[in-house]
């Protein structure tokens, strides 16, 4: 049950996309995300879809892996589409059946919204699929660094993210173990009404939180024992540096954004 | 036959390697069996198939002659076969010791009166004072006490077979001895069958009537402790050591002294060595 969570999964491949500088990848992703909200036409979406397909093929990942990231949000996508379909008014009436009425405006807005969400999700999951968590947080730290002047703890935020990502599998494993232990005492996590099921999570969640706190405590102690005191004066073994292909990627993506906004 | 495993294979996903490879195992009522094997040999996976937490990929598990899937509900199997996981104190969650131990019995749908009786009895089994501790929070207890509360939580369901996965790991020597004695007592006085998992031979040696040695998903050796310890070399090869006392005897034997190697209480070993030493000196004089 807990095994199909692919949140923030990274798949190592040797590809152009994997080798790009993480800062550039984050910035390009932001650029495209913003761009996606300005698309107003069918052709724009088609071009944006083409862009994402190009990136997928360049990343040497199978499109199935990327599509898998859409599964958890499928409900939201369908929900948005249905709401727009029936409740957005305007344009010609396409279908009328009792009190239900579908108008062309609703049809197109719903469709565009659904496509937009799908493109957004596949784009962002492409970012995490091709960038290791360490690179990702490193890149974020660099990008956030200028804001330190205004009191933003960039290094600390990045460190928190690294640690959180690092402990996802550990906590999943722990949850599995506790679940089994409670099942051995006759706990039932799978049947009953929704209230019963929510209540049955207490024997799982209490020990899980306790162990998370225990781990956090141990980790903090271990970090202090190794003289960790935040980002002040820290140097790195691997400095990030932008090279030609990074700027080319930016140019390529920016022209795409321009193109699909205009369309 | 209380528990019977017939040619059990297990793997987490199709395509992966099997973790259990053809396990055949029988446990009679009232037995004290020790399951020994190095880390990753499949011990913990094996015991989870016995109470139905894991269903074998191939093969069958019988409890009291009935295949595990043919019981009306998994909870009945889990009542018969109590499983105490490694570091069981990590699964405590209730506000009071009483409530935590009562969790299992409650899931069995017993009456409040019966639950209270069984909780009291389970606490007595693990030597916890009912009146003093029942209203205390389990999180405020000492490590050894927490573990006993967790074990009581399984005992309160009145299992006929108690499986303990590394129950004495992380306890100090006194806590270890006390807990081992108590498990022995449960087996001898209360007639509860025990399956005891450990990666250390000496924990299990003296108390178990039968020893199972697991290696790479298979039961490699099976027999009385005497028979197993006689195979020092093959145990050594799979990363297990015989208890220090037996190692001493074995080393002596290697040096040409004709001592027995099939004894394991410290008194017996002392007697054996002394006898030999005396005999050795007398023959010289």
């Amino acid at each position: 049950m807990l095994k199909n969570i692919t949140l923030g999964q990274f798949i190592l491949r040797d590809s152009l996309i994997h080798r790009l500088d993480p800062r550039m990848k984050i910035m390009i992703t932001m650029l495209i995300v913003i761009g996606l909200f300005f698309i107003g036409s069918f052709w724009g979406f088609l071009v944006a879809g083409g862009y994402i397909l190009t990136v997928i093929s360049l990343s040497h990942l199978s499109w199935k892996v990327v599509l898998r990231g859409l599964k958890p949000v499928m409900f939201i996508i369908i929900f948005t589409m249905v709401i727009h379909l029936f409740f957005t008014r305007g344009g010609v009436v396409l279908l009328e059946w009792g009190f239900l009425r579908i108008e062309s405006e609703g049809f197109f807005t719903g469709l565009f919204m659904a496509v937009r969400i799908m493109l957004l999700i596949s784009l962002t999951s492409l970012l995490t699929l091709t960038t290791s968590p360490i690179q990702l947080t490193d890149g974020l730290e660099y990008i956030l660094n200028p804001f330190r002047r205004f009191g933003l703890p960039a290094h600390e935020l990045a460190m928190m993210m690294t640690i959180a990502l690092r402990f996802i599998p550990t906590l999943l494993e722990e949850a599995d173990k506790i679940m089994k232990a409670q099942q051995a005492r006759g706990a039932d996590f799978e049947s009953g009404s929704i209230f019963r099921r929510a209540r049955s999570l207490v024997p799982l969640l209490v020990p899980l939180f306790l162990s998370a706190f225990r781990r956090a405590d141990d980790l903090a102690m271990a970090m202090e024992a190794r003289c960790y005191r935040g980002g002040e004066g820290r140097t790195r073994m691997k400095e990030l540096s932008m090279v030609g292909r990074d700027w080319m990627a930016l140019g390529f993506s920016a022209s795409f954004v321009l193109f699909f906004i205009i369309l | 036959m209380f528990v019977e495993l017939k040619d059990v294979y297990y793997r987490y996903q199709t395509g992966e390697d099997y973790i259990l490879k053809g396990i055949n195992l029988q446990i009679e009522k009232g037995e004290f069996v020790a399951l020994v094997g190095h880390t990753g040999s499949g011990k913990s996976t094996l015991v989870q198939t016995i109470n139905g937490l894991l269903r074998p990929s191939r093969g069958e598990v019988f409890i009291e002659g009935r295949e595990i899937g043919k019981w009306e509900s998994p909870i009945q199997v889990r009542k018969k076969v109590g499983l105490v996981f490694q570091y069981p104190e990590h699964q405590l969650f209730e506000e009071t010791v009483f409530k935590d131990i009562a969790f299992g019995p409650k899931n069995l749908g017993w009456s409040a009166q019966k639950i209270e009786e069984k909780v009291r009895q389970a606490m007595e089994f693990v030597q916890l004072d009912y009146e003093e501790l029942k209203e205390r929070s389990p999180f405020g207890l000492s490590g050894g006490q927490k573990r006993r509360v967790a074990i009581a939580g399984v005992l309160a369901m009145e299992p006929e077979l108690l499986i303990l996965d590394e129950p004495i790991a992380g306890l100090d020597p006194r806590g270890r001895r006390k807990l081992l004695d108590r498990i022995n007592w449960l087996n001898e006085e209360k007639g509860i069958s025990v399956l005891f998992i450990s990666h250390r031979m000496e924990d299990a040696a003296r108390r178990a009537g039968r020893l199972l040695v697991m290696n790479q998903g298979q039961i490699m050796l099976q027999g009385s402790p005497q028979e197993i310890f006689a195979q020092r070399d093959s145990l050594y090869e799979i990363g297990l050591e015989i208890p220090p006392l037996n190692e001493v005897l074995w080393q002596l034997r290697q040096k040409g002294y004709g001592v027995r190697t099939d004894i394991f209480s410290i008194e017996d070993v002392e007697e054996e060595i002394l006898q030999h030493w005396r005999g050795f000196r007398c023959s010289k004089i």
Side-chain angles (χ1 to χ4, degrees), chain A residues 10-28:
Chain A
F10 166 66
I11 298 175
L12 181 68
R13 289 285 142 84
D14 183 23
S15 82
L16 176 68
I17 306 293
H18 282 74
R19 263 173 285 151
L20 283 178
D21 190 293
R23 288 170 291 175
M24 194 53 96
K25 269 193 273 189
I26 294 170
M27 285 190 295
I28 290 175

PDB file of all heavy atoms in Angstrom, chain A residues 10-28:
ATOM      1  N   PHE A  10      13.761  10.145  -8.165  1.00  0.00           N
ATOM      2  CA  PHE A  10      14.835  10.510  -9.077  1.00  0.00           C
ATOM      3  C   PHE A  10      15.307   9.258  -9.797  1.00  0.00           C
ATOM      4  O   PHE A  10      15.498   8.222  -9.174  1.00  0.00           O
ATOM      5  CB  PHE A  10      15.982  11.142  -8.287  1.00  0.00           C
ATOM      6  CG  PHE A  10      17.265  11.246  -9.054  1.00  0.00           C
ATOM      7  CD1 PHE A  10      17.363  12.069 -10.163  1.00  0.00           C
ATOM      8  CD2 PHE A  10      18.379  10.518  -8.665  1.00  0.00           C
ATOM      9  CE1 PHE A  10      18.550  12.160 -10.869  1.00  0.00           C
ATOM     10  CE2 PHE A  10      19.568  10.603  -9.363  1.00  0.00           C
ATOM     11  CZ  PHE A  10      19.659  11.438 -10.469  1.00  0.00           C
ATOM     12  N   ILE A  11      15.425   9.332 -11.120  1.00  0.00           N
ATOM     13  CA  ILE A  11      15.921   8.176 -11.873  1.00  0.00           C
ATOM     14  C   ILE A  11      17.196   8.581 -12.596  1.00  0.00           C
ATOM     15  O   ILE A  11      17.201   9.508 -13.407  1.00  0.00           O
ATOM     16  CB  ILE A  11      14.874   7.673 -12.892  1.00  0.00           C
ATOM     17  CG1 ILE A  11      13.619   7.219 -12.148  1.00  0.00           C
ATOM     18  CG2 ILE A  11      15.439   6.523 -13.716  1.00  0.00           C
ATOM     19  CD1 ILE A  11      12.480   6.814 -13.050  1.00  0.00           C
ATOM     20  N   LEU A  12      18.259   7.895 -12.274  1.00  0.00           N
ATOM     21  CA  LEU A  12      19.561   8.257 -12.823  1.00  0.00           C
ATOM     22  C   LEU A  12      19.701   7.756 -14.265  1.00  0.00           C
ATOM     23  O   LEU A  12      19.486   6.594 -14.555  1.00  0.00           O
ATOM     24  CB  LEU A  12      20.675   7.644 -11.950  1.00  0.00           C
ATOM     25  CG  LEU A  12      22.099   7.958 -12.406  1.00  0.00           C
ATOM     26  CD1 LEU A  12      22.411   9.428 -12.231  1.00  0.00           C
ATOM     27  CD2 LEU A  12      23.102   7.102 -11.673  1.00  0.00           C
ATOM     28  N   ARG A  13      20.005   8.659 -15.164  1.00  0.00           N
ATOM     29  CA  ARG A  13      20.298   8.321 -16.554  1.00  0.00           C
ATOM     30  C   ARG A  13      21.457   9.202 -16.980  1.00  0.00           C
ATOM     31  O   ARG A  13      21.752  10.206 -16.332  1.00  0.00           O
ATOM     32  CB  ARG A  13      19.101   8.613 -17.471  1.00  0.00           C
ATOM     33  CG  ARG A  13      17.921   7.718 -17.327  1.00  0.00           C
ATOM     34  CD  ARG A  13      18.168   6.351 -17.961  1.00  0.00           C
ATOM     35  NE  ARG A  13      17.570   5.321 -17.135  1.00  0.00           N
ATOM     36  CZ  ARG A  13      16.290   4.965 -17.192  1.00  0.00           C
ATOM     37  NH1 ARG A  13      15.493   5.531 -18.040  1.00  0.00           N
ATOM     38  NH2 ARG A  13      15.840   4.027 -16.405  1.00  0.00           N
ATOM     39  N   ASP A  14      22.086   8.806 -18.074  1.00  0.00           N
ATOM     40  CA  ASP A  14      23.131   9.677 -18.600  1.00  0.00           C
ATOM     41  C   ASP A  14      22.531  10.435 -19.768  1.00  0.00           C
ATOM     42  O   ASP A  14      22.452   9.927 -20.875  1.00  0.00           O
ATOM     43  CB  ASP A  14      24.325   8.820 -19.052  1.00  0.00           C
ATOM     44  CG  ASP A  14      25.465   9.697 -19.537  1.00  0.00           C
ATOM     45  OD1 ASP A  14      25.512  10.876 -19.118  1.00  0.00           O
ATOM     46  OD2 ASP A  14      26.274   9.216 -20.329  1.00  0.00           O
ATOM     47  N   SER A  15      22.052  11.646 -19.506  1.00  0.00           N
ATOM     48  CA  SER A  15      21.420  12.395 -20.586  1.00  0.00           C
ATOM     49  C   SER A  15      21.733  13.874 -20.452  1.00  0.00           C
ATOM     50  O   SER A  15      22.180  14.351 -19.412  1.00  0.00           O
ATOM     51  CB  SER A  15      19.902  12.207 -20.549  1.00  0.00           C
ATOM     52  OG  SER A  15      19.339  13.080 -19.596  1.00  0.00           O
ATOM     53  N   LEU A  16      21.462  14.583 -21.518  1.00  0.00           N
ATOM     54  CA  LEU A  16      21.688  16.021 -21.538  1.00  0.00           C
ATOM     55  C   LEU A  16      20.909  16.690 -20.407  1.00  0.00           C
ATOM     56  O   LEU A  16      21.434  17.537 -19.679  1.00  0.00           O
ATOM     57  CB  LEU A  16      21.242  16.580 -22.898  1.00  0.00           C
ATOM     58  CG  LEU A  16      21.331  18.096 -23.049  1.00  0.00           C
ATOM     59  CD1 LEU A  16      22.783  18.550 -23.063  1.00  0.00           C
ATOM     60  CD2 LEU A  16      20.627  18.565 -24.305  1.00  0.00           C
ATOM     61  N   ILE A  17      19.648  16.306 -20.258  1.00  0.00           N
ATOM     62  CA  ILE A  17      18.794  16.931 -19.248  1.00  0.00           C
ATOM     63  C   ILE A  17      19.343  16.678 -17.847  1.00  0.00           C
ATOM     64  O   ILE A  17      19.343  17.562 -16.988  1.00  0.00           O
ATOM     65  CB  ILE A  17      17.354  16.392 -19.356  1.00  0.00           C
ATOM     66  CG1 ILE A  17      16.816  16.541 -20.770  1.00  0.00           C
ATOM     67  CG2 ILE A  17      16.442  17.085 -18.361  1.00  0.00           C
ATOM     68  CD1 ILE A  17      16.603  17.953 -21.218  1.00  0.00           C
ATOM     69  N   HIS A  18      19.830  15.465 -17.613  1.00  0.00           N
ATOM     70  CA  HIS A  18      20.375  15.158 -16.288  1.00  0.00           C
ATOM     71  C   HIS A  18      21.607  16.003 -15.994  1.00  0.00           C
ATOM     72  O   HIS A  18      21.882  16.348 -14.860  1.00  0.00           O
ATOM     73  CB  HIS A  18      20.760  13.678 -16.190  1.00  0.00           C
ATOM     74  CG  HIS A  18      19.587  12.776 -15.984  1.00  0.00           C
ATOM     75  ND1 HIS A  18      18.697  12.477 -16.985  1.00  0.00           N
ATOM     76  CD2 HIS A  18      19.141  12.114 -14.889  1.00  0.00           C
ATOM     77  CE1 HIS A  18      17.768  11.664 -16.520  1.00  0.00           C
ATOM     78  NE2 HIS A  18      18.008  11.431 -15.259  1.00  0.00           N
ATOM     79  N   ARG A  19      22.373  16.297 -17.057  1.00  0.00           N
ATOM     80  CA  ARG A  19      23.643  16.994 -16.839  1.00  0.00           C
ATOM     81  C   ARG A  19      23.498  18.504 -16.708  1.00  0.00           C
ATOM     82  O   ARG A  19      24.431  19.177 -16.276  1.00  0.00           O
ATOM     83  CB  ARG A  19      24.621  16.660 -17.978  1.00  0.00           C
ATOM     84  CG  ARG A  19      25.579  15.542 -17.589  1.00  0.00           C
ATOM     85  CD  ARG A  19      26.402  15.131 -18.770  1.00  0.00           C
ATOM     86  NE  ARG A  19      25.593  14.347 -19.694  1.00  0.00           N
ATOM     87  CZ  ARG A  19      25.800  14.304 -21.017  1.00  0.00           C
ATOM     88  NH1 ARG A  19      26.760  15.008 -21.555  1.00  0.00           N
ATOM     89  NH2 ARG A  19      25.043  13.566 -21.783  1.00  0.00           N
ATOM     90  N   LEU A  20      22.329  19.026 -17.058  1.00  0.00           N
ATOM     91  CA  LEU A  20      22.134  20.477 -16.957  1.00  0.00           C
ATOM     92  C   LEU A  20      22.318  20.943 -15.515  1.00  0.00           C
ATOM     93  O   LEU A  20      22.070  20.198 -14.566  1.00  0.00           O
ATOM     94  CB  LEU A  20      20.721  20.852 -17.420  1.00  0.00           C
ATOM     95  CG  LEU A  20      20.449  20.866 -18.923  1.00  0.00           C
ATOM     96  CD1 LEU A  20      18.993  21.206 -19.157  1.00  0.00           C
ATOM     97  CD2 LEU A  20      21.352  21.850 -19.643  1.00  0.00           C
ATOM     98  N   ASP A  21      22.725  22.178 -15.388  1.00  0.00           N
ATOM     99  CA  ASP A  21      22.889  22.764 -14.057  1.00  0.00           C
ATOM    100  C   ASP A  21      21.533  22.833 -13.349  1.00  0.00           C
ATOM    101  O   ASP A  21      20.554  23.298 -13.942  1.00  0.00           O
ATOM    102  CB  ASP A  21      23.467  24.184 -14.226  1.00  0.00           C
ATOM    103  CG  ASP A  21      23.893  24.752 -12.897  1.00  0.00           C
ATOM    104  OD1 ASP A  21      23.021  25.013 -12.053  1.00  0.00           O
ATOM    105  OD2 ASP A  21      25.102  24.945 -12.724  1.00  0.00           O
ATOM    106  N   PRO A  22      21.474  22.348 -12.093  1.00  0.00           N
ATOM    107  CA  PRO A  22      20.168  22.325 -11.411  1.00  0.00           C
ATOM    108  C   PRO A  22      19.534  23.710 -11.291  1.00  0.00           C
ATOM    109  O   PRO A  22      18.320  23.837 -11.384  1.00  0.00           O
ATOM    110  CB  PRO A  22      20.494  21.751 -10.029  1.00  0.00           C
ATOM    111  CG  PRO A  22      21.959  21.869  -9.872  1.00  0.00           C
ATOM    112  CD  PRO A  22      22.525  21.793 -11.249  1.00  0.00           C
ATOM    113  N   ARG A  23      20.369  24.757 -11.120  1.00  0.00           N
ATOM    114  CA  ARG A  23      19.803  26.111 -11.004  1.00  0.00           C
ATOM    115  C   ARG A  23      19.062  26.471 -12.274  1.00  0.00           C
ATOM    116  O   ARG A  23      17.967  27.017 -12.263  1.00  0.00           O
ATOM    117  CB  ARG A  23      20.921  27.135 -10.775  1.00  0.00           C
ATOM    118  CG  ARG A  23      21.528  27.052  -9.413  1.00  0.00           C
ATOM    119  CD  ARG A  23      22.752  27.909  -9.333  1.00  0.00           C
ATOM    120  NE  ARG A  23      23.839  27.355 -10.154  1.00  0.00           N
ATOM    121  CZ  ARG A  23      25.004  27.947 -10.345  1.00  0.00           C
ATOM    122  NH1 ARG A  23      25.226  29.135  -9.830  1.00  0.00           N
ATOM    123  NH2 ARG A  23      25.942  27.376 -11.059  1.00  0.00           N
ATOM    124  N   MET A  24      19.716  26.129 -13.412  1.00  0.00           N
ATOM    125  CA  MET A  24      19.099  26.447 -14.686  1.00  0.00           C
ATOM    126  C   MET A  24      17.819  25.660 -14.859  1.00  0.00           C
ATOM    127  O   MET A  24      16.811  26.185 -15.330  1.00  0.00           O
ATOM    128  CB  MET A  24      20.090  26.137 -15.814  1.00  0.00           C
ATOM    129  CG  MET A  24      19.708  26.729 -17.132  1.00  0.00           C
ATOM    130  SD  MET A  24      19.402  28.507 -17.031  1.00  0.00           S
ATOM    131  CE  MET A  24      20.979  29.175 -17.537  1.00  0.00           C
ATOM    132  N   LYS A  25      17.844  24.382 -14.436  1.00  0.00           N
ATOM    133  CA  LYS A  25      16.649  23.549 -14.592  1.00  0.00           C
ATOM    134  C   LYS A  25      15.496  24.118 -13.766  1.00  0.00           C
ATOM    135  O   LYS A  25      14.354  24.171 -14.226  1.00  0.00           O
ATOM    136  CB  LYS A  25      16.951  22.106 -14.154  1.00  0.00           C
ATOM    137  CG  LYS A  25      17.434  21.248 -15.303  1.00  0.00           C
ATOM    138  CD  LYS A  25      17.432  19.786 -14.960  1.00  0.00           C
ATOM    139  CE  LYS A  25      18.729  19.414 -14.300  1.00  0.00           C
ATOM    140  NZ  LYS A  25      18.863  17.949 -14.134  1.00  0.00           N
ATOM    141  N   ILE A  26      15.810  24.563 -12.549  1.00  0.00           N
ATOM    142  CA  ILE A  26      14.752  25.119 -11.698  1.00  0.00           C
ATOM    143  C   ILE A  26      14.188  26.388 -12.331  1.00  0.00           C
ATOM    144  O   ILE A  26      12.971  26.573 -12.423  1.00  0.00           O
ATOM    145  CB  ILE A  26      15.299  25.424 -10.289  1.00  0.00           C
ATOM    146  CG1 ILE A  26      15.683  24.115  -9.583  1.00  0.00           C
ATOM    147  CG2 ILE A  26      14.250  26.161  -9.451  1.00  0.00           C
ATOM    148  CD1 ILE A  26      16.453  24.322  -8.301  1.00  0.00           C
ATOM    149  N   MET A  27      15.104  27.237 -12.834  1.00  0.00           N
ATOM    150  CA  MET A  27      14.641  28.503 -13.395  1.00  0.00           C
ATOM    151  C   MET A  27      13.826  28.278 -14.667  1.00  0.00           C
ATOM    152  O   MET A  27      12.797  28.912 -14.864  1.00  0.00           O
ATOM    153  CB  MET A  27      15.825  29.427 -13.649  1.00  0.00           C
ATOM    154  CG  MET A  27      16.341  30.008 -12.328  1.00  0.00           C
ATOM    155  SD  MET A  27      17.546  31.325 -12.515  1.00  0.00           S
ATOM    156  CE  MET A  27      18.920  30.497 -13.263  1.00  0.00           C
ATOM    157  N   ILE A  28      14.298  27.343 -15.503  1.00  0.00           N
ATOM    158  CA  ILE A  28      13.548  27.055 -16.731  1.00  0.00           C
ATOM    159  C   ILE A  28      12.160  26.517 -16.375  1.00  0.00           C
ATOM    160  O   ILE A  28      11.155  26.917 -16.966  1.00  0.00           O
ATOM    161  CB  ILE A  28      14.316  26.048 -17.621  1.00  0.00           C
ATOM    162  CG1 ILE A  28      15.558  26.718 -18.207  1.00  0.00           C
ATOM    163  CG2 ILE A  28      13.423  25.509 -18.723  1.00  0.00           C
ATOM    164  CD1 ILE A  28      16.451  25.803 -19.001  1.00  0.00           C
TER     165      ILE A  28
END
